Amino acid sequence: MPQLSFHAPFGALTLSEEDGALVSLDWGWGRDQDETPLLARARDLLEGYFDGEVKEFRLPMQPFGTPYRRRVWEMLRHIPYGETVTYGQIAAKIGGSPRAVGGAVGANPLPILIPCHRVVGHHGLGGYSGGNGVEDKIFLLQLEGAWPSAASNRIFDAV
């Protein structure tokens, strides 16, 4: 499985590709490095995102997960840059409970690219599975201008 690591503002990140699609983005430096055109493009887009120049990621992604988790992750891809929604808003849109949505959000194998940081709790930030936890979530939301105004009241229209 080809991997490519690079430096981000909060530490090293590693992208992984399988069968022509991105399958994971992990905190830390990967052991093996194999720069493919897709991994290089994803790295360049992420670097542009951190520089405030890229606002969406149109890349082939195939995250592994249950059908419910994949539905949640697809919904996350439709949350606009600079906006947030709550776990409850997503649950109301696709079914399940806010806790089930939180489980799916926390298991997202492609954070940032599938913007799980844009999902917040009804009364606070909620958690974040990134390397530095909520600190990284706050960084990403501030980068997008979505924090401290945590939860927008707008329900997004998606899939």
Side-chain angles (χ1 to χ4, degrees), residues 14-46:
T14 297
L15 291 157
S16 299
E17 173 186 346
E18 187 172 298
D19 297 327
L22 298 170
V23 294
S24 69
L25 176 81
D26 299 297
W27 268 247
W29 201 267
R31 185 185 63 162
D32 301 319
Q33 300 294 304
D34 185 10
E35 184 172 318
T36 68
L38 174 59
L39 292 174
R41 186 168 149 232
R43 178 206 53 215
D44 293 347
L45 286 172
L46 282 160

Side-chain angles (χ1 to χ4, degrees), residues 49 55 80-83 112 115 117-118 139-147:
Y49 169 81
K55 302 209 182 315
Y81 179 96
E83 294 190 26
I112 306 170
H117 61 279
R118 296 179 188 154
F139 172 85
L140 295 168
L141 291 173
Q142 287 177 335
L143 176 70
E144 295 183 12
W147 182 257

